[in-house]
Amino acid sequence: MTAATAALKKPLGLTGEMYRRAFLDSLAKLNPRLMMRNPVMFVVEVGSVLTTALWIQALIGTGEAPAWYIGFVSLWLWFTVLFANFSEALAEGRGKAQAEGLRRARRETLAKRLKEPRHGAAFESVPSTELKKGDAFLVDAGDAIAADGEVIEGIASVDESAITGESAPVIRESGGDRSAVTGGTRVLSDWLVVRLTAEPGGGFLDRMIKLIEGARRQKTPNEIALNILLAAFTIIFLVVCVTLLPFSLFSVQVAGHGAPVTVTVLVALLVCLIPTTIGGLLAAIGIAGMDRMIRHNVIATSGRAVEAAGDVDVLLLDKTGTVTLGNRMATEFTPAPGVAKERLADAAQLASLADETPEGRSIAVLAKEQYGLRGREVREIAAHFVPFSAQTRMSGADIQADNPAFRRIIRKGASEAIRAFVEAEGGTFPPAVLQTVQDVSRAGGTPLVVAENSEVLGVIYLKDIVKGGIKERFAQLRLMGIRTVMITGDNQLTATAIAAEAGVDDFLAEAKPEDKLRLIREYQQGGRLVAMTGDGTNDAPALAQADVAVAMNTGTQSAREAANMIDLDSNPTKLMEIVEIGKQLLMTRGTLTTFSIANDVAKYFAIIPAAFATTYPALNALNIMKLASPESAILSAVIFNALIIVALIPIALRGVKYRPVSAVQLLRRHLLIYGFGGLVAPFLGIKLIDMLMAAFGWA
Amino acid sequence: MTPNALLQISLYLVVLLLLVKPLGAFMARVFQREKTFLDPVLGPMERMIYRVARIDAGREMDWKENAIAMLLFNGIGLLFVYVLQRAQQLLPLNPEGMGAVSPDSALNTAVSFATNTNWQGYGGETTMSYLTQMLALTVQNFVSAATGLALLALIIRGFARHSVRTLGNFWVDMTRSTLYVLLPLSIIFALILVSQGVPQNVSPYEKVPFLQSPRDTSGAEVKEQVIAMGPVASQIAIKQLGTNGGGFFNVNSAHPYENPTPFSNFLEELAILLIAAALCYTYGRMVGDTRQGWALLTAMTLILVGMLVVCVWAESGSNASLARLGVDQMAGPGQAGGNMEGKEVRFGIANSALWATVTTSASNGSVNAMHDSFTPLGGMIPLIAMHLGEVVFGGVGSGLYGMLVFVIVGVFVAGLLVGRTPEYLGHKVESFEMKMASLLILIMPLAVLAFTALAVVMPDGRAGIANPGAHGFSEILYTFTSQANNNGSAFAGVSANTPFYNITGALAMLIGRYWLAVPTLALAGSLARKKLVPPSDGTLPTHTPLFIFWLIAVILIVGALNFLPALALGPVVEYFMMIH
């Protein structure tokens, strides 16, 4: 199960309060000016008003049908509108709750504005809203950061849980890739001098609040295209229903008996036929898509980006952290000829005891696991630890360096550095070891050579560990037609081996940031949509070029601005979930559209015989559901039409379950469930409602 | 279905499908301006036409220029047909001395022949001079069909091309369609028809004494009968091939001089679908993937076969009203059985039902039996065939481009179902395409339903109805369905040669032709401009059985949703009233 589907299994997290608010909002949304943005539901509202007028007419004078009947139809038409509004309000509600939390974090902040942009300069306390772009301000331990900015001085640990939900603090410091801070987060220790990079109201937090609240929600391209299709269907059905009145008048005249179809029935038929199910839920589906991103701790800057994610053809993945675990691990010791494996392991462990890098630790662990060499304290053996330096390009340990008899100078490092070391000590570098070094490189590993005094002991095989399950993940992506490209700074040999092991489709070795940009352009010229992740300032041009660009929240301000999504967890694997969410959004729209249109067949069978029952009793042969009476048939269809919106709200909010299978399999499955199901379901539903009405004697 | 019917229909379908590839491949060569075996003969003629008409054959035009060229050309043709009808009494080749056609009928006929509808409110042998038949009607039979072919060629290029603005040159496609496709086929076909006994002359009508004189309604003895003559074969050939359908005589291909023998009947039926079917292969060739063409042809054929089965079944079944009277309606050596009213004995039930189904599927509109006399369900099939939007084969050119619009809609929803912005042949389907496709799907039902509604409420509309009850409604519905779909077949029964029906019909035909052609050109223009999206494993293939099934479902559901209520008040209720 992927993380995305796992997250979807989570309950929707709706509280009673949210339901209550959504109910009130759905009433407020009845405002015709708001309704007009959704042509399908606007038609339903007009129909509701019309039938209400007919009901009043029936109450005070002579109506076209019994008042109770018109009233009932009208009531359920109003319900149809309200249910659609409710779904939208409910989808918005969750966002609103989140936005309010964020807004609280922002409101109470005071900023210490510095007269000069340096630590120790005088400052005055001003509300964060009075800060201007370019102002510098001081943040001490315990202070909240007033607004988005760039650290220009200092280093501090920052609690960003307000926006990421992650409680572990992160380090922010001036210069480099960790210099961006976000308004609303809190400095836990030390201090920072921050220069404001965004105007008040335009900061990250503000943008997020706006996004979540949907204030700037615009219709996405695909949503617009779908809306056009739905509007076309609505117009067709409008004409179908309007022309039925003259047809019916004519039929009554030629048949010589019966009454023409009533306006109430025509409005009921119209509302049943127009795609209210998808029309009512469309807004909720879009909002829920954005919301699913947020629940995955990804902030998308536009709905368009979420949609584009579903279309991505190429994923550019950084090797480290995405394809492989962040660190290389020691997996094997290969001794030089004539050297015992145990001796090599022992020396390797001694050389790594004080090496706190993950690689160093993995060497100690391997020695302990394979040869039972217990970890020793550096103090205990009177060793002096020599840390890695750029000049020597080696690390190791000196044991009793002043005692020529027991002198042990142990070093580990790249083969050239060790060759220089042993030759300086008067030894030689055995050709067999050189061979091992080359073999390891070819296999995608990093060889570390271990030497003691003038003798080369052997080679440690440091291996990039490909993440568990990643190969299967890539296979799934391939099935969906998505190409994975690994980007790495490693040399060609190493990259080839890792690419083969991870099962990526392609790789770019010895990659520089400009290579990334070039690669994206190449793919785009071929008509592909490219997604990538990045964090550094030098990633910014590539991020700006990519169609779906996810910036790590730990990244620099420029990277975050160039991207169209920000991953608050800073997890490069998230890209795959983002693609899934994008696809889910489109699939949910597609399935509910199919379902909605397929429903119409049954509604015709319910309403047509009922509408013309008095003119052409022979048409009752079409009443294949054997509905009790013309009135109950029409009411059942209208009630089903309204209730199905409510029944499908969970699918709209959760999204259709995503499956990594080929397009043809997916189409077959969805046609079966939503196409065929959409044909059958209303026959059962309408019959059931009719039976209930008959049982209560309302038919 | 009797073994005889099954055999006749199977033979028809097999021969038709066998001809698809050779003719389709030839037409692809014609549209792509490649060498053909006719070049030595027609090449000089083609170049001469370009020289005389000052056409720069090398210049390509974008969709707007092409649309304007098409509208201008058709407009002038329309005007020409109108003037010729109004002035025919002053012009030569009028041995019967036909007078000027009335203004509304002339307008209706001019529109009808320009739009490839060939709806006939008039009776040919009692209205039109030979000059009008030849110079106005037969010429329009050619150019309206060639217009359809040229439009299709332009539109296919839109689907095949990427990152360009131009679609080709309407004038060149028109010229080549006429010269290389329609003319040779028509000449061969006309000669075969002549061999079967179809007249081709400009003689006055023959007067022949009766062997046994009948009496007219007033009781007076009738001594002789008038036998109409004319340049029939040349018009019938193109009328069938170009999905025109406008007969030389009033009763169209039921007339023994238009369609004398079973062999001529077979060939005329074959000609109805021949070009439209072969164009599917042409399409596959031109977009570089013949599977796409075969997929469309499969979808069309399956829908056609489904309708055929129902129509033949309904017509060969017994009529419940007659069965109650104890009438034997079983097929046997002595009788055809089933419903023979309005059918020619020389064609029988199978070939009448086959013709009715293919002529309405293909926007041809010629008839060899009277659809008005079909059983309710049998007569509903031609209605449904047209209600599907004339995309099951359809008119030459226009049928396939109509089908492509349904493909776009099908691809759009299917794309959403698999979670990807929909794409077809490497083009992304976006909001502009959906706007055009929606418009195209919308217009036909709107025109049909609105004009039908108008006719049933207006006294002028009701005045034309011949039959009482639900059948009268079917007649009006059929009239506007036929015209808005540029089919031209008549249910008969409606007296349609009145100012009301002539003018509303002309409007319906104009809307049905040009309001569809122009947005489809725009759609193709927009597709041509798009960048190529190379297919990946995530792309939904559009040639698989699953997609064919889906396409059929989209066509049937859209058609059913649009017209179920109207059909319920017409043929459906007729049927239930008949069996009760």
Side-chain angles (χ1 to χ4, degrees):
Chain A
M1 188 167 60
T2 63
T5 52
L8 296 178
K9 287 244 159 97
K10 274 193 247 170
L12 288 169
L14 295 166
T15 61
E17 166 65 15
M18 282 185 195
Y19 282 114
R20 204 181 58 78
R21 257 182 48 181
F23 173 71
L24 292 176
D25 281 352
S26 56
L27 289 174
K29 280 172 189 286
L30 288 175
N31 180 349
R33 244 177 297 169
L34 295 176
M35 291 296 294
M36 256 155 82
R37 286 175 26 188
N38 184 342
V40 178
M41 295 319 291
F42 182 66
V43 168
V44 182
E45 189 175 30
V46 171
S48 312
V49 172
L50 192 62
T51 49
T52 307
L54 289 168
W55 174 62
I56 294 168
Q57 185 201 26
L59 277 183
I60 58 177
T62 43
E64 56 171 14
W68 69 267
Y69 171 60
I70 303 178
F72 249 132
V73 171
S74 183
L75 185 68
W76 279 97
L77 296 188
W78 281 114
F79 279 153
T80 313
V81 185
L82 284 175
F83 290 159
N85 287 350
F86 182 72
S87 75
E88 190 180 339
L90 203 56
E92 285 170 348
R94 273 188 300 179
K96 275 193 184 147
Q98 261 167 312
E100 249 155 50
L102 291 174
R103 200 175 277 128
R104 265 198 298 280
R106 195 189 51 179
R107 251 197 312 262
E108 300 136 9
T109 324
L110 274 180
K112 295 169 178 167
R113 183 161 67 193
L114 293 164
K115 305 262 194 234
E116 288 166 60
R118 59 176 176 80
H119 189 237
F123 63 79
E124 50 176 346
S125 281
V126 294
S128 62
T129 45
E130 283 181 21
L131 289 172
K132 288 188 186 58
K133 195 170 177 177
D135 281 354
F137 58 93
L138 173 71
V139 196
D140 283 317
D143 287 352
I145 298 175
D148 286 15
E150 181 119 31
V151 179
I152 51 174
E153 209 182 330
I155 174 167
S157 61
V158 178
D159 169 17
E160 296 196 336
S161 60
I163 53 169
T164 62
E166 179 61 58
S167 55
V170 294
I171 299 294
R172 293 285 178 235
E173 61 186 327
S174 60
D177 288 352
R178 293 191 293 180
S179 62
V181 289
T182 309
T185 57
R186 192 170 289 276
V187 171
L188 293 179
S189 68
D190 306 287
W191 52 267
L192 295 171
V193 175
V194 178
R195 178 179 288 126
L196 201 67
T197 52
E199 288 291 352
F204 180 66
L205 208 57
D206 302 285
R207 269 193 296 159
M208 222 167 113
I209 292 169
K210 275 186 193 146
L211 274 166
I212 293 172
E213 282 189 326
R216 279 176 46 198
R217 209 181 86 82
Q218 288 174 324
K219 280 184 182 154
T220 56
N222 176 271
E223 205 177 342
I224 291 170
L226 181 57
N227 252 315
I228 291 169
L229 185 68
L230 297 181
F233 273 117
T234 308
I235 295 171
I236 290 179
F237 289 130
L238 196 62
V239 173
V240 166
C241 292
V242 168
T243 53
L244 263 187
L245 189 59
F247 293 175
S248 165
L249 288 169
F250 176 78
S251 299
V252 170
Q253 200 193 16
V254 294
H257 50 81
V261 63
T262 59
V263 175
T264 307
V265 169
L266 285 180
V267 171
L269 178 62
L270 176 64
V271 170
C272 286
L273 292 180
I274 60 176
T276 48
T277 312
I278 178 67
L281 293 173
L282 197 56
I285 294 170
I287 300 168
M290 297 276 277
D291 193 60
R292 269 199 296 283
M293 287 283 185
I294 293 166
R295 273 192 294 153
H296 279 82
N297 268 348
V298 176
I299 304 293
T301 54
S302 70
R304 204 186 187 104
V306 181
E307 219 171 62
D311 287 345
V312 161
D313 306 284
V314 180
L315 291 188
L316 298 190
L317 302 165
D318 279 324
K319 182 199 80 176
T320 308
T322 314
V323 180
T324 62
L325 295 172
N327 313 305
R328 287 169 295 195
M329 307 256 280
T331 54
E332 203 182 326
F333 295 121
T334 311
V339 178
K341 252 193 177 176
E342 286 73 16
R343 189 170 161 224
L344 169 63
D346 178 62
Q349 193 190 38
L350 283 172
S352 310
L353 274 181
D355 184 352
E356 281 303 316
T357 64
E359 285 89 353
R361 257 178 289 162
S362 80
I363 295 172
V365 168
L366 181 73
K368 185 173 158 187
E369 280 176 357
Q370 280 200 351
Y371 303 100
L373 298 176
R374 65 179 185 89
R376 289 156 288 190
E377 287 296 322
V378 183
R379 246 183 311 106
E380 191 181 324
I381 45 175
H384 167 67
F385 180 65
V386 182
F388 179 86
S389 80
Q391 274 149 351
T392 61
R393 298 200 291 142
M394 295 182 295
S395 63
D398 296 348
I399 299 163
Q400 301 186 22
D402 308 327
N403 185 345
F406 297 98
R407 172 173 174 272
R408 290 178 79 191
I409 309 288
I410 303 172
R411 290 290 181 273
K412 67 178 202 288
S415 60
E416 282 84 67
I418 296 294
R419 177 193 289 270
F421 169 76
V422 291
E423 280 168 5
E425 290 276 326
T428 54
F429 198 87
V433 173
L434 195 64
Q435 184 61 43
T436 313
V437 165
Q438 281 166 357
D439 289 346
V440 170
S441 291
R442 204 166 296 122
T446 307
L448 277 186
V449 182
V450 182
E452 184 173 337
N453 301 339
S454 62
E455 190 183 1
V456 174
L457 298 180
V459 178
I460 308 169
Y461 185 166
L462 282 183
K463 196 176 173 190
D464 255 323
I465 301 299
V466 171
K467 279 188 175 176
I470 203 86
K471 194 168 185 167
E472 290 71 27
R473 201 72 186 275
F474 290 152
Q476 286 176 1
L477 288 171
R478 199 169 304 119
L479 211 58
M480 290 154 51
I482 296 171
R483 228 175 129 74
T484 45
V485 181
M486 183 181 83
I487 310 283
T488 170
D490 289 347
N491 63 43
Q492 202 72 24
L493 257 158
T494 313
T496 313
I498 295 170
E501 190 180 344
V504 291
D505 296 304
D506 202 353
F507 65 90
L508 183 67
E510 292 166 37
K512 293 182 284 297
E514 56 271 26
D515 295 336
K516 246 190 205 179
L517 183 62
R518 189 179 43 75
L519 190 68
I520 294 175
R521 288 222 173 104
E522 268 169 31
Y523 275 118
Q524 285 175 335
Q525 256 145 31
R528 310 280 188 191
L529 249 64
V530 184
M532 69 166 285
T533 56
D535 52 5
T537 302
N538 53 15
D539 281 332
L543 283 169
Q545 181 72 31
D547 301 284
V548 175
V550 185
M552 303 292 104
N553 191 43
T554 52
T556 58
Q557 189 69 22
S558 57
R560 288 182 357 186
E561 268 163 22
N564 51 18
M565 288 188 198
I566 294 160
D567 178 15
L568 301 176
D569 296 340
S570 302
N571 170 10
T573 323
K574 198 68 83 56
L575 204 48
M576 295 180 222
E577 273 126 49
I578 290 172
V579 170
E580 289 175 10
I581 292 171
K583 284 198 176 295
Q584 231 184 0
L585 178 67
L586 295 185
M587 285 192 312
T588 310
R589 282 188 197 140
T591 49
L592 294 188
T593 304
T594 312
F595 187 84
S596 190
I597 298 291
N599 268 220
D600 283 358
V601 176
K603 291 170 190 165
Y604 267 137
F605 278 97
I607 295 183
I608 297 272
F612 301 106
T614 57
T615 319
Y616 289 130
L619 274 183
N620 202 38
L622 289 180
N623 181 8
I624 52 176
M625 285 175 268
K626 301 272 171 270
L627 303 178
S629 71
E631 288 78 15
S632 75
I634 286 163
L635 267 174
S636 306
V638 172
I639 293 172
F640 175 83
N641 191 55
L643 290 180
I644 197 72
I645 296 180
V646 181
L648 293 176
I649 288 179
I651 291 191
L653 296 190
R654 251 192 218 114
V656 169
K657 192 164 155 49
Y658 169 81
R659 274 159 221 278
V661 293
S662 75
V664 174
Q665 281 169 293
L666 212 54
L667 179 62
R668 186 176 306 133
R669 188 186 159 80
H670 285 160
L671 281 184
L672 196 68
I673 298 175
Y674 297 95
F676 184 69
L679 277 178
V680 176
F683 278 105
L684 303 177
I686 291 173
K687 177 69 187 165
L688 189 70
I689 295 169
D690 185 75
M691 281 162 63
L692 283 174
M693 287 175 61
F696 285 102
W698 295 336
Chain B
M1 204 181 278
T2 60
N4 182 19
L6 199 64
L7 191 70
Q8 294 185 58
I9 289 169
S10 311
L11 178 71
Y12 174 80
L13 289 174
V14 168
V15 173
L16 176 72
L17 295 177
L18 283 177
L19 290 172
V20 164
K21 194 170 169 181
L23 181 60
F26 173 75
M27 286 193 288
R29 297 187 73 82
V30 170
F31 294 147
Q32 291 173 326
R33 304 186 71 176
E34 293 165 13
K35 275 210 169 327
T36 69
F37 68 97
L38 293 172
D39 279 13
V41 189
L42 298 174
M45 225 193 285
E46 184 191 355
R47 285 188 290 278
M48 197 191 72
I49 292 173
Y50 296 152
R51 248 198 322 278
V52 171
R54 301 241 201 113
I55 293 166
D56 178 0
R59 195 178 92 85
E60 293 222 329
M61 306 193 284
D62 65 16
W63 78 263
K64 279 182 198 146
E65 292 174 281
N66 278 308
I68 291 167
M70 184 270 292
L71 290 173
L72 273 179
F73 180 75
N74 277 230
I76 292 167
L78 197 156
L79 205 65
F80 179 73
V81 177
Y82 179 80
V83 171
L84 211 60
Q85 290 178 85
R86 297 285 292 144
Q88 64 176 0
Q89 77 283 10
L90 308 171
L91 297 168
L93 278 178
N94 190 357
E96 297 302 314
M98 306 288 185
V101 183
S102 72
D104 55 290
S105 172
L107 171 74
N108 185 282
T109 305
V111 170
S112 167
F113 277 75
T115 55
N116 196 254
T117 310
N118 303 44
W119 168 268
Q120 292 168 295
Y122 63 94
E125 63 271 46
T126 53
T127 317
M128 300 295 178
S129 75
Y130 290 163
L131 186 77
T132 311
Q133 293 269 27
M134 290 195 292
L135 210 55
L137 305 187
T138 307
V139 167
Q140 283 301 317
N141 276 354
F142 276 97
V143 295
S144 67
T147 300
L149 286 173
L151 281 174
L152 178 68
L154 296 169
I155 287 160
I156 293 180
R157 287 190 205 108
F159 279 77
R161 291 178 173 183
H162 296 278
S163 312
V164 293
R165 298 188 62 82
T166 60
L167 298 175
N169 187 318
F170 173 75
W171 305 113
V172 173
D173 288 324
M174 266 291 300
T175 312
R176 288 180 68 85
S177 302
T178 314
L179 269 185
Y180 288 84
V181 181
L182 297 175
L183 215 50
L185 281 174
S186 299
I187 291 172
I188 299 168
F189 191 29
L191 289 175
I192 299 177
L193 287 175
V194 168
S195 81
Q196 295 300 302
V198 179
Q200 178 73 14
N201 58 37
V202 287
S203 322
Y205 292 172
E206 301 274 347
K207 290 200 168 60
V208 185
F210 277 116
L211 295 176
Q212 188 183 6
S213 302
R215 288 176 191 281
D216 67 10
T217 42
S218 62
E221 200 174 323
V222 182
K223 287 268 185 336
E224 54 179 20
Q225 64 172 321
V226 177
I227 294 181
M229 292 281 137
V232 184
S234 59
Q235 187 172 331
I236 300 314
I238 184 63
K239 145 198 150 186
Q240 295 304 98
L241 284 165
T243 59
N244 294 290
F248 197 91
F249 302 116
N250 195 14
V251 292
N252 212 298
S253 279
H255 195 289
Y257 282 179
E258 276 204 35
N259 188 8
T261 65
F263 183 56
S264 73
N265 187 67
F266 179 80
L267 291 182
E268 285 183 22
E269 273 172 349
L270 197 63
I272 292 175
L273 294 189
L274 180 65
I275 294 181
L279 281 173
C280 292
Y281 187 78
T282 309
Y283 169 73
R285 265 287 179 84
M286 287 176 74
V287 299
D289 182 0
T290 47
R291 294 175 308 178
Q292 305 295 339
W294 288 121
L296 299 187
L297 184 65
T298 310
M300 290 177 179
T301 310
L302 288 176
I303 299 178
L304 179 78
V305 169
M307 293 193 295
L308 258 178
V309 169
V310 177
C311 193
V312 174
W313 166 79
E315 288 311 297
S316 44
S318 63
N319 182 331
S321 319
L322 291 175
R324 279 193 286 273
L325 300 174
V327 177
D328 173 22
Q329 300 176 73
M330 292 302 291
Q335 62 174 17
N339 173 32
M340 275 301 286
E341 186 197 303
K343 295 187 179 65
E344 287 291 304
V345 183
R346 68 185 187 282
F347 305 135
I349 285 172
N351 268 305
S352 300
L354 175 62
W355 188 302
T357 310
V358 297
T359 197
T360 46
S361 298
S363 143
N364 184 293
S366 62
V367 293
N368 74 349
M370 295 302 114
H371 298 177
D372 194 29
S373 297
F374 276 32
T375 60
L377 291 186
M380 186 169 76
I381 291 298
L383 260 177
I384 290 177
M386 292 186 281
H387 284 162
L388 298 183
E390 293 294 17
V391 298
V392 180
F393 296 98
V396 290
S398 61
L400 187 54
Y401 67 66
M403 179 59 123
L404 289 175
V405 171
F406 275 98
V407 171
I408 292 286
V409 174
V411 160
F412 180 76
V413 179
L416 291 186
L417 282 174
V418 300
R420 228 176 123 87
T421 297
E423 55 202 66
Y424 183 57
L425 301 179
H427 305 271
K428 274 207 157 46
V429 177
E430 288 162 311
S431 52
F432 181 77
E433 287 74 37
M434 282 323 287
K435 218 179 270 176
M436 290 304 116
S438 300
L439 203 60
L440 291 162
I441 288 191
L442 195 76
I443 284 163
M444 187 276 288
L446 291 197
V448 172
L449 293 173
F451 281 117
T452 307
L454 195 66
V456 297
V457 293
M458 297 270 289
D460 280 349
R462 293 185 185 199
I465 302 165
N467 294 68
H471 197 65
F473 181 76
S474 303
E475 289 171 354
I476 295 183
L477 180 65
Y478 195 106
T479 302
F480 288 104
T481 301
S482 172
Q483 298 190 71
N485 279 295
N486 297 134
N487 182 281
S489 71
F491 210 34
V494 173
S495 312
N497 197 358
T498 63
F500 174 82
Y501 280 104
N502 278 332
I503 291 166
T504 50
L507 282 174
M509 290 188 279
L510 286 173
I511 292 170
R513 180 72 164 187
Y514 302 110
W515 206 337
L516 295 194
V518 175
T520 317
L521 268 180
L523 176 78
S526 159
L527 289 180
R529 279 197 297 275
K530 285 178 193 277
K531 274 203 307 193
L532 172 75
V533 183
S536 71
D537 288 341
T539 312
L540 184 73
T542 49
H543 61 268
T544 56
L546 183 68
F547 187 80
I548 294 172
F549 166 78
W550 170 238
L551 182 61
I552 294 174
V554 170
I555 294 169
L556 293 183
I557 286 189
V558 169
L561 295 181
N562 290 338
F563 290 106
L564 250 171
L567 290 174
L569 293 178
V572 173
V573 74
E574 277 184 71
Y575 171 73
F576 285 122
M577 286 160 90
M578 181 183 85
I579 60 171
H580 279 306

